[in-house]
Amino acid sequence: MTTTRRSRALGIQEWATLQAEIVSCCRCPRLVAWRESVALQKVARFRDQLYWGRPVPGFGDPQARLWVIGLAPAAHGGNRTGRVFTGDPSGDWLFRALYRAGFANQPTSTHREDGLQLQDCYISAVVRCVPPENRPTAIEAKACLGYLKQELELLTQVRVILTLGHFAFQHALTLLPPLRPRPRFGHNCVIPLAEGRYLLASYHPSRRNTATRLLTEPMLDAVFAQAQQLLSGKPARPGEH
């Protein structure tokens, strides 16, 4: 076996080990109880479906240069489908934008076997279990950060880290060498990092943000256009605030 093939096989094994560890995690009793109760109680529109009801690992291209980080799985989205952002309104916005920007092969994602493929993009969440009222505690977020750190180590080609929302932005900063002054969150804000990498921020495509038009589809498209610009090696465009 050549060195390249050996390295690729080792990388595949490391990803499989990490994903298995995430899926079997029971570190946070409150989140374990909640994710399982949601999976049993369901909602009327999904009452005939078998819910995932476990922690949700990241997914996408292991050689991705773009890494998208969200908050946590949705109660009847990722906690149902087993894939973050799949099957919920936030995901509807995200996957349409990814498709328009050329990072996804289709604009919709409804279940794990729907044929969705990400190109040059990997998607994760800070917290891997659905939290009550979408609000994980600081202790719960800290318990999950080790998984995000391992993903960062395995995503060796990443150049742009796109955080969806203030929560993801703040926790992504903890994975990076300290920046002075500490960056402030702002929509389409670009923070240069070491080794030619960038941290990019966006409002989260939550139902509240999209319904109030704090975030519009052109605004989300602008963020992915910014990501493409950064990946091409061209100067960052002025951010929206």
Side-chain angles (χ1 to χ4, degrees), residues 86-148:
T86 290
D88 70 78
S90 295
D92 293 342
W93 276 64
L94 176 61
F95 292 118
R96 284 197 299 267
L98 286 167
Y99 175 74
R100 289 190 293 265
F103 292 107
N105 68 328
Q106 61 189 46
T108 59
S109 180
T110 56
H111 59 88
R112 288 198 308 281
E113 306 300 330
D114 60 10
L116 175 72
Q117 294 181 5
L118 299 183
Q119 302 148 5
D120 205 15
C121 177
Y122 194 87
I123 299 179
S124 306
V126 175
V127 176
R128 307 307 170 115
C129 295
V130 54
E133 299 181 351
N134 210 33
R135 294 181 179 177
T137 67
I139 293 174
E140 289 163 350
K142 186 176 181 180
C144 259
L145 276 179
Y147 297 137
L148 214 58

Side-chain angles (χ1 to χ4, degrees), residues 93 100 216-223 240:
W93 276 64
R100 289 190 293 265
T216 64
E217 294 209 60
M219 289 171 65
L220 191 56
D221 286 341
V223 171
E240 298 174 16

